[in-house]
Amino acid sequence: MIRVAINGYGNLGRGVELALSHAQDMECVVIFTRRDRGSLTTLGAPVAHVTEMANYVGKVDVVINCGGSATDLGTQSPEVAKHFNVVDSFDRHAKIPEHFDAVGSAAEKAGTLALISAGWDPGLFSALRVLGEAVLPNGSTTTFWGPGVSQGHSDAVRRIDGVADAKQYTVPVEATVQAVKDGRDVELAPRTMHKRDCFVVAEEGADLERIEREIVEMPNYFSDYDTTVTFISAKELAREHAGMPHGGQVIRAGKTDNDVESTITYQLQLGSNPEFTGSVLVAAGRAVARMAARGQTGAVTLFDVTLTDLSPVSAGDLRKNYL
């Protein structure tokens, strides 16, 4: 049985615990938190404060870090890797090489193994992009995100003066998606690839026209996209937009000969982004525990992991039933 610790118990941490409850070869032995331990309601796993983490050295096969990439994982993962095998979902794409080096250095010195940036993008989609390009070298890869909730964009809307709450959905432009699948030439720009739908609860007496204008003109978030703003009540937001769905597609379109076209499409439709990401992290945790048991140390990504190590099914059964 692979012994797992969850470090952080927000939406992602709860998703990891739920995924572990479905893994017959893994168990959650402890949940580490920075909050008051009594404030957490878990599925049954014991809770310890992060300051007690050292007490679990030798009692945990892998720690799954569930902090945020913006402020937590950059320091959290290297620190945890000094004592434990680690998995994280670091998703700041431009900073991944730097994060890999920092975590890898700590893990090499400690003799532990760390798998970074395990999620669906980065993570699964990253691996699928590599696979598509390896199979169809003469072609192009396009990624579409959504339809689903963008937490960062939702937060940007909520920070506008007069906004009480908001949810923002990223939606792929279907005409562009189909053109890419068909191998037709199409402009691939922010406005042609995705649109933004904002559902906003305004404070009483707020200037709705100003709020809408600030949203659609916001640089780096909405100004480059066709954006719709719909004002709704708090009750409607809670009733209709309480979930955290997401998804996306990776499309590799290429040619095997001058006039012979092929397309590979990978698509995700997720009812819960944190629950699915938690499921990816748990599979990655299984792989890390197995690889570490064989003596591997340092930092790795999903590019370095075999399907056999990710799967709860034995290698023999994989060959018998899946090939």
Side-chain angles (χ1 to χ4, degrees):
M1 186 70 70
I2 296 172
R3 302 166 298 175
V4 181
I6 299 172
N7 187 15
Y9 200 66
N11 290 326
L12 182 55
R14 288 189 287 272
V16 170
E17 188 187 20
L18 182 61
L20 284 170
S21 72
H22 301 303
Q24 296 183 357
D25 60 333
M26 307 175 76
E27 62 176 339
C28 182
V29 298
V30 64
I31 295 171
F32 297 121
T33 181
R34 293 177 292 198
R35 292 179 277 170
D36 176 8
R37 289 181 294 182
S39 67
L40 270 62
T41 301
T42 73
L43 295 179
V47 179
H49 195 267
V50 289
T51 56
E52 303 174 78
M53 190 177 289
N55 297 336
Y56 288 84
V57 173
K59 302 175 183 178
V60 171
D61 297 309
V62 60
V63 175
I64 298 179
N65 281 340
C66 298
S69 296
T71 59
D72 295 325
L73 295 178
T75 56
Q76 194 179 74
S77 289
E79 283 300 314
V80 175
K82 292 178 181 179
H83 306 285
F84 301 93
N85 301 315
V86 176
V87 173
D88 77 24
S89 60
F90 187 84
D91 64 0
R92 298 177 65 186
H93 291 263
K95 295 289 186 178
I96 285 176
E98 177 182 325
H99 183 63
F100 182 90
D101 289 343
V103 178
S105 176
E108 285 285 2
K109 291 177 182 177
T112 62
L113 181 64
L115 196 162
I116 70 157
S117 301
W120 59 273
D121 200 358
L124 292 185
F125 272 15
S126 310
L128 295 171
R129 282 190 281 264
V130 171
L131 179 60
E133 292 181 18
V135 174
L136 288 176
N138 182 19
S140 60
T141 302
T142 308
T143 303
F144 295 92
W145 294 275
V149 174
S150 171
Q151 297 182 69
H153 286 71
S154 298
D155 182 65
V157 175
R158 287 193 290 266
R159 292 177 183 272
I160 294 175
D161 184 42
V163 173
D165 204 352
K167 277 283 183 74
Q168 188 271 320
Y169 293 83
T170 299
V171 182
V173 177
E174 287 303 321
T176 306
V177 173
Q178 192 58 54
V180 171
K181 289 181 178 180
D182 293 342
R184 292 184 277 118
D185 288 334
V186 63
E187 181 186 10
L188 296 177
R191 195 176 303 277
T192 64
M193 294 180 69
H194 298 93
K195 60 181 180 178
R196 308 275 186 190
D197 290 340
C198 304
F199 294 88
V200 180
V201 179
E203 296 176 353
E204 186 175 353
D207 184 340
L208 303 188
E209 291 186 3
R210 175 188 57 78
I211 291 173
E212 181 174 2
R213 183 171 62 253
E214 286 193 31
I215 292 173
V216 300
E217 295 179 356
M218 188 183 299
N220 302 318
Y221 284 90
F222 300 103
S223 60
D224 292 332
Y225 301 86
D226 289 334
T227 302
T228 61
V229 178
T230 303
F231 291 98
I232 59 177
S233 68
K235 288 184 178 180
E236 186 177 354
L237 187 73
R239 184 178 66 248
E240 303 293 339
H241 305 282
M244 299 182 68
H246 218 318
Q249 301 178 65
V250 176
I251 303 169
R252 180 66 178 180
K255 294 182 178 181
T256 54
D257 203 350
N258 291 336
D259 299 315
V260 183
E261 297 181 347
S262 296
T263 302
I264 306 171
T265 301
Y266 309 98
Q267 184 169 4
L268 293 178
Q269 293 179 298
L270 312 178
S272 169
N273 186 0
E275 288 182 12
F276 184 84
T277 301
S279 297
V280 178
L281 289 172
V282 166
R286 175 185 295 112
V288 164
R290 290 173 172 176
M291 295 162 70
R294 297 195 296 267
Q296 188 165 347
T297 62
V300 294
T301 69
L302 284 182
F303 299 148
D304 308 300
V305 177
T306 69
L307 295 178
T308 300
D309 279 332
L310 288 169
S311 175
V313 180
S314 71
D317 284 343
L318 287 174
R319 289 190 293 271
K320 178 180 177 181
N321 299 315
Y322 291 81
L323 276 179

